[in-house]
Amino acid sequence: MEARGGERGGGAAAQAFAPQTLAYGSDALQGLDLWVPEGAKGAPLVLFVHGGGWKRGSKSNAVGRALPGHMLAQGYAFASIDYRLVPAATVEQQAADVAAALAYLLKRADALGIDRSRVVLTGHSAGAHLVALVGTDERYLRAVGLSFADIDGVMPNDGAAYDVAKQVAQAGRFMAGTYKEAFGTDPARQRALSPTAHASAPNAPAFLLTHVQREDGVAQNTALAEALRRAGTAVEVGSFPGEGLRGHMEINRKLGEPDYPATPVMDAWLKKVLG
């Protein structure tokens, strides 16, 4: 699977150093943009998974403009991935795509200037759910020859479907159809796609759960944090200003801006986890 043309920027620093656009699978949506600090031979990797209700969004328009450049400035390689979307694909296949994208990069780590021993997964909204799922249910990593030992940490950003059944039950009219389309109505399947249900050990070694002040998001992040702590997994929670959909969008759009409150919290956690 070779590099694709059509490189894009994302933030001031990233625009000055355009990403490589790579294909990690045969589907048109199995692609990623990769930024690596110029001259790096072993940069820690931060892999980002976009949101969009599991059915929309892309690596080009659903990542905050500041984040790629901010990661480069911190010395990290940054990958923003696309993945197959509902209804053409299932949420299970989306989690498999996250694992496949990571495996693709780690297999080529030396050539790409990445340190495969220092890796964090992050994502926003539906992407937060997907990275939390991959970080608690090891079968997705095992399917591509990886394990939790290949991940140093997971940073889900303002997700709210960590317990799918509870999220579906609390969904208002605006989101009910989205959850039904993604997760169906079978309780066993909903549980299988719930990171909180998988959070008994083993898990990825460390989590940073960030969220704004949405009632369902606060409850879901609190429950996931408690489940991870019961399993002995290191977990920190960052609670930030912002209400409703506006706050949900803002934490994605502004993360990486130096004056946004979540940015220094993220930076301190990444430094601790990645060294």
Side-chain angles (χ1 to χ4, degrees):
M1 291 171 274
E2 300 302 324
R4 294 182 179 138
E7 296 179 344
R8 295 185 179 95
Q15 287 169 0
F17 185 62
Q20 302 173 68
T21 299
L22 307 167
Y24 67 85
S26 59
D27 190 279
L29 287 175
Q30 290 174 316
L32 61 88
D33 289 341
L34 174 67
W35 292 262
V36 180
E38 193 166 8
K41 298 188 183 303
L45 173 66
V46 178
L47 185 149
F48 176 84
V49 182
H50 71 77
W54 300 272
K55 59 184 177 181
R56 64 174 71 91
S58 81
K59 61 183 173 57
S60 302
N61 64 24
V63 59
R65 290 179 59 83
L67 196 57
H70 180 75
M71 290 298 173
L72 284 178
Q74 304 298 308
Y76 304 133
F78 182 77
S80 179
I81 77 164
D82 275 335
Y83 52 90
R84 292 169 291 173
L85 299 172
V86 170
T90 65
V91 174
E92 291 89 341
Q93 288 174 315
Q94 293 176 337
D97 281 355
V98 174
L102 178 62
Y104 174 89
L105 290 171
L106 296 189
K107 184 176 180 180
R108 296 158 179 80
D110 290 345
L112 293 171
I114 294 168
D115 182 351
R116 64 159 294 137
S117 70
R118 293 187 289 169
V119 174
V120 160
L121 302 181
T122 187
H124 174 250
S125 194
H129 164 266
L130 291 172
V131 297
L133 184 61
V134 172
T136 54
D137 185 352
E138 199 173 26
R139 61 180 162 172
Y140 297 103
L141 293 170
R142 289 199 302 262
V144 293
L146 301 177
S147 73
F148 289 144
D150 293 293
I151 299 175
D152 294 280
V154 181
M155 187 181 74
N157 184 13
D158 208 48
Y162 303 136
D163 183 327
V164 171
K166 284 188 176 179
Q167 188 69 22
V168 169
Q170 295 171 357
R173 185 174 59 181
F174 177 68
M175 286 297 294
T178 293
Y179 292 132
K180 184 176 180 181
E181 188 175 32
F183 299 109
T185 58
D186 176 24
R189 180 171 181 245
Q190 291 181 352
R191 181 175 175 81
L193 291 171
S194 297
T196 301
H198 293 289
S200 56
N203 298 302
F207 282 73
L208 172 62
L209 307 179
T210 60
H211 65 82
V212 297
Q213 307 311 305
R214 298 187 297 151
E215 184 177 356
D216 56 348
V218 172
Q220 289 269 333
N221 278 273
T222 299
L224 177 57
E226 290 173 352
L228 289 165
R229 289 189 181 109
R230 285 196 298 270
T233 301
V235 57
E236 298 178 25
V237 178
S239 178
F240 302 101
E243 306 288 337
L245 181 61
R246 181 175 179 178
H248 179 63
M249 295 172 65
E250 184 177 69
I251 195 171
N252 184 52
R253 186 176 68 251
K254 292 192 172 184
L255 190 63
E257 294 180 5
D259 58 351
Y260 183 65
T263 299
V265 174
M266 172 185 71
D267 289 347
W269 182 81
L270 286 173
K271 186 174 181 180
K272 179 167 57 177
V273 169
L274 294 174

